[in-house]
Amino acid sequence: MKTIKSHLLLLATLIVTASCESQQARMTTTINTDGTCLREVSYENRVKKTERDSLLKGNRPQRSNPVPDCLCVDSMKKGKTVTKGDTVITHFHQQYNSVEEMSAHTPLRLAGVPLESKAHLEKHFRFFYTEYVFSETFKSLKKHFPIQLEKYAKAEVASYWFTGEPNLLDGMNGAEAAAKLQEIEPLITKWLNDNLASCVFDFIARNYDAIPNPPLPREEFIAQKDSLIKFCIGKGEDALLGTDKLFASFFHSEAYAPFFDEDTPLGAALSKLVMKQIEPFTLKIPYTLKMPGTIYGATGGAYITDNVITFHLTGERLIPQDYTLTATSRVTNIWAYVLTALIVLLAAGSYWWKRKRS
């Protein structure tokens, strides 16, 4: 018999196996000097040889090579399919006339819902060079959680835990940093546990009529929500959102057991809801950005290698607030240098000509 608790105890495994990271999903944005842009996504899958050969011939992906749940490629063009051993890498791309148009068709989704983003590109002419400033803001997932972080942690603490900013460990040594993290982690754990417990309780309340012989009326059950959550969470981290035994102990009844058994329709539906609730923790996508000219800076937890920016776009970074990434690059205007040189030469030549005539 599968239970919700058994799934939550394997949360770390779920994050690895169910995430886009396990299929090496990636996204690349290329900004052109004229303001147009290209967005590309790719993902990897290990497949059998017969399926790999079928894919390379242009056939539709089989069950063993599905598009990751975090990608929506319906509006994109199928690109090349590359094979490396037993791994098949599938590419999609789409050209856009502006970054605004591009962000309106973000190919990323969570729990079946597209992520919302807004992109903006500024172009500043500086004569000797043209500066390009690109930014893209992904909307926060705060509404995904019924109970907000502020109930347990200050805004800057929650932001640091999920985004790394502001850096609360600045100036600390290793021991001090470890102590600070140990101080923050229980707050985040309580927040997640509270959300999961609330998720389970609210589901049972919505389906209360399906319980044959409930120990108390629905209204009284709802009134016990806070007490029940405190009771379950008070049993420790292993309780998380409670089990049938905890519910039985609290209500002195086995009436709620079907909700915790995946072999029942109610249990299967609740398990699916719980998995959906923790889905933000499974979104992990390397976001690569290519800008015109030479890159001079980037924010949003970026690192630059060979004039290419990579951002860690994760669901966790979207939990406390909107996540904004920015990049600045410069394109040298060769003609400006040539024109300046000509002006200098003409000025020098004119001066020399005047002196010669005089």
Side-chain angles (χ1 to χ4, degrees):
M1 178 179 69
K2 296 180 181 179
T3 65
I4 294 173
K5 182 182 177 184
S6 69
H7 279 290
L8 290 171
L9 293 177
L10 295 175
L11 175 59
T13 303
L14 172 71
I15 291 176
V16 174
T17 59
S19 70
C20 280
E21 187 179 27
S22 67
Q23 291 179 285
Q24 291 296 305
R26 299 177 180 274
M27 183 169 73
T28 298
T29 297
T30 302
I31 307 298
N32 302 315
T33 56
D34 61 356
T36 62
C37 51
L38 173 69
R39 178 150 277 177
E40 304 168 272
V41 296
S42 66
Y43 64 92
E44 299 180 6
N45 274 309
R46 290 187 176 182
V47 298
K48 297 178 181 179
K49 183 178 183 302
T50 54
E51 294 170 327
R52 180 193 65 194
D53 294 341
S54 177
L55 285 167
L56 292 175
K57 291 179 181 178
N59 297 332
R60 289 189 174 185
Q62 301 299 314
R63 277 185 145 187
S64 58
N65 190 52
V67 177
D69 291 337
C70 63
L71 294 182
C72 181
V73 296
D74 296 343
S75 62
M76 305 185 80
K77 298 177 181 178
K78 178 79 175 292
K80 60 182 178 180
T81 301
V82 180
T83 178
K84 294 182 179 179
D86 61 350
T87 301
V88 172
I89 307 173
T90 307
H91 297 262
F92 292 85
H93 64 273
Q94 186 63 47
Q95 188 79 30
Y96 298 97
N97 293 321
S98 67
V99 297
E100 288 80 8
E101 180 187 1
M102 175 187 70
S103 63
H105 298 85
T106 303
L108 305 178
R109 63 184 178 185
L110 189 69
V113 179
L115 291 183
E116 295 183 41
S117 78
K118 290 186 178 181
H120 182 64
L121 178 66
E122 295 181 2
K123 185 176 180 180
H124 304 289
F125 175 68
R126 308 297 189 193
F127 191 68
F128 287 111
Y129 64 88
T130 300
E131 184 179 77
Y132 294 83
V133 181
F134 171 79
S135 66
E136 185 166 11
T137 299
F138 291 87
K139 190 174 182 180
S140 173
L141 298 175
K142 291 180 68 173
K143 292 183 179 179
H144 183 83
F145 300 94
I147 302 174
Q148 297 303 303
L149 273 164
E150 288 79 3
K151 181 178 179 180
Y152 292 108
K154 294 181 179 180
E156 61 270 20
V157 172
S159 179
Y160 170 73
W161 184 264
F162 289 109
T163 72
E165 297 177 359
N167 185 8
L168 301 183
L169 306 184
D170 190 26
M172 294 186 182
N173 61 26
E176 293 165 343
K180 186 65 176 179
L181 293 175
Q182 290 175 0
E183 175 187 322
I184 297 175
E185 186 174 12
L187 304 178
I188 305 302
T189 299
K190 287 182 180 180
W191 163 77
L192 180 58
N193 286 349
D194 203 341
N195 271 283
L196 294 175
S198 181
C199 175
V200 169
F201 186 94
D202 292 346
F203 179 86
I204 295 176
R206 290 194 301 271
N207 294 274
Y208 210 75
D209 292 340
I211 303 174
N213 297 299
L216 68 168
R218 182 175 182 274
E219 291 73 19
E220 292 185 27
F221 174 80
I222 293 176
Q224 294 292 322
K225 179 178 181 179
D226 291 341
S227 298
L228 173 62
I229 290 176
K230 289 180 181 179
F231 175 78
C232 292
I233 294 176
K235 294 298 181 178
E237 292 184 15
D238 286 346
L240 287 175
L241 43 89
T243 65
D244 53 341
K245 293 181 179 180
L246 285 172
F247 267 65
S249 176
F250 185 84
F251 289 108
H252 306 290
S253 171
E254 300 287 341
Y256 306 103
F259 288 95
F260 299 91
D261 181 2
E262 275 198 21
D263 293 332
T264 68
L266 288 173
L270 180 53
S271 179
K272 185 177 180 180
L273 184 63
V274 170
M275 295 302 104
K276 180 179 178 180
Q277 188 67 37
I278 62 177
E279 196 166 340
F281 297 94
T282 71
L283 181 66
K284 300 177 185 294
I285 296 183
Y287 177 0
T288 301
L289 177 63
K290 299 177 182 179
M291 296 282 290
T294 302
I295 294 172
Y296 276 80
T299 63
Y303 63 91
I304 304 172
T305 305
D306 297 330
N307 206 45
V308 175
I309 310 171
T310 300
F311 300 93
H312 296 289
L313 180 54
T314 65
E316 290 184 348
R317 283 175 169 80
L318 303 180
I319 290 175
Q321 68 253 334
D322 294 349
Y323 171 60
T324 300
L325 50 89
T326 63
T328 303
S329 67
R330 295 177 181 175
V331 174
T332 300
N333 296 326
I334 303 298
W335 60 265
Y337 286 92
V338 173
L339 180 60
T340 301
L342 288 174
I343 292 173
V344 171
L345 288 174
L346 286 172
S350 176
Y351 176 75
W352 176 82
W353 177 255
K354 288 180 179 180
R355 289 200 60 181
K356 184 178 180 180
R357 292 191 62 183
S358 63

